[in-house]
Amino acid sequence: MPGHSSPIGVFDSGVGGLTVLRSLTEAMPAQSFIYLGDTARVPYGSKSPDTVARYSINIAERLIEYGCRALVIACNTASAYALGAVRNAISVPVVGVVEPVSALVARRSKGRVLILGTSGTVRSAAYLRALGRHRSDLEIVQKACPLFVPLAEEGWLHGVVPEQVAATYLSETLEQHRPDSIILGCTHYPLLRQVIAGAVEAAGLDATLYETGPATAGELRAHTDSRRPVPSSRGTVRYLCTDNPDDFVAVGRAFLGDSTITAEHVDIGTSPC
Ligand code: DGL
């Protein structure tokens, strides 16, 4: 049985979930994590609910074989479509990214919320349901911004191309809906935060941008070790991916701003070493 010194598993469709992992390691520096990016099957954002649920259960079961004591579904699309299925499939606590940030935004918003996500996350309406559970008076609009994912993967985070993409996706919605709170409901969007903030400013708005990581870290701590004294040693992070580790490392280093990370290939469907 996993104990308090066991790692916590974090998974995503690929490298994007590293933006969430960063918040988790900051909030729980003594905790060890295993991050698994399903790079062989990315993207999840355009796939059907059944496929995303099947992949997510598959990955979650694999992380349990590595002895994880809790799991974080860092992927918004997987949290939207598969949180219940993963919780049913395994017996350790499972935290998704949709609910924690929704609870935070419901507390803080002045009433007008914009949700940015993948097509799958938008279609699932998971954020609408989560926000609605906390407040019934919110005016909420959703917007899928699929091109943000490849832009982030390519490292095109600044300059004319991402600015034009952001303006094309967002200008009309921002001007018409005039949100005070914007949820970056996709793992990759925090990397384009500056460009998104630029579009918000260009629309003359003073909206707060919310990432999923910090709120998710708060919920994870509440589910796992809030009563434990923090040990003095630093936790480790082991990176696994289902496709070429060199590609994962190249993008992952840029995402994390850490040139030291290494990754191992894991073959989903065979036993861990
Ligand atoms: N990780 C996904 C999400 O947060 C974005 C990338 C994908 O489409 O798989 O929804």
Side-chain angles (χ1 to χ4, degrees):
M1 277 297 283
H4 276 315
S5 57
S6 303
I8 291 176
V10 181
F11 75 87
D12 179 46
S13 53
V15 286
L18 294 175
T19 58
V20 177
L21 178 73
R22 195 168 44 198
S23 296
L24 304 180
T25 54
E26 273 167 25
M28 301 170 74
Q31 172 65 48
S32 290
F33 291 91
I34 298 180
Y35 180 93
L36 204 166
D38 194 6
T39 45
R41 301 187 292 197
V42 68
Y44 284 10
S46 52
K47 297 206 165 62
S48 71
D50 285 354
T51 300
V52 173
R54 188 158 43 83
Y55 288 177
S56 300
I57 291 170
N58 197 207
I59 297 282
E61 285 175 342
R62 193 53 196 266
L63 282 168
I64 293 303
E65 290 173 18
Y66 281 90
C68 292
R69 68 186 179 104
L71 296 189
V72 176
I73 306 180
C75 177
N76 290 258
T77 313
S79 297
Y81 282 141
L83 180 62
V86 171
R87 281 184 172 152
N88 287 339
I90 61 171
S91 57
V92 302
V94 184
V95 173
V97 289
V98 172
E99 172 57 34
V101 73
S102 298
L104 178 70
V105 170
R107 277 201 305 280
R108 294 207 183 146
S109 173
K110 296 190 187 88
R112 303 185 75 77
V113 181
L114 173 61
I115 297 153
L116 307 180
T118 64
S119 306
T121 298
V122 166
R123 258 197 314 270
S124 77
Y127 274 105
L128 300 183
R129 285 194 300 278
L131 287 161
R133 277 195 290 277
H134 295 280
R135 259 175 81 172
S136 56
D137 64 326
L138 294 172
E139 303 267 343
I140 311 168
V141 165
Q142 304 190 94
K143 182 79 187 166
C145 309
L147 285 179
F148 282 171
V149 170
L151 282 173
E153 295 271 345
E154 287 295 323
W156 287 31
L157 309 180
H158 309 281
V160 67
V161 174
E163 277 166 18
Q164 271 178 8
V165 172
T168 306
Y169 278 139
L170 301 177
S171 298
E172 204 179 303
T173 306
L174 289 168
E175 277 156 28
Q176 284 175 4
H177 181 54
R178 307 197 66 76
D180 61 77
S181 306
I182 301 174
I183 298 179
L184 305 182
C186 172
T187 45
H188 291 61
Y189 297 4
L191 291 153
L192 290 154
R193 191 185 175 102
Q194 256 177 281
V195 162
I196 296 168
V200 171
E201 206 183 311
L205 300 175
D206 181 21
T208 306
L209 305 189
Y210 289 91
E211 301 182 14
T212 61
T216 303
E219 176 146 338
L220 179 66
R221 284 177 63 168
H223 272 80
T224 52
D225 68 347
S226 55
R227 286 157 303 176
R228 295 181 60 226
V230 179
S232 52
S233 62
R234 267 198 93 77
T236 59
V237 184
R238 185 174 176 190
Y239 297 93
L240 309 173
C241 59
T242 56
D243 202 2
N244 185 350
D246 293 340
D247 294 343
F248 179 94
V249 164
V251 185
R253 285 181 175 176
F255 268 38
L256 289 171
D258 178 350
S259 60
T260 64
I261 71 163
T262 58
E264 303 155 56
H265 177 256
V266 58
D267 200 1
I268 295 298
T270 56
S271 296
C273 40

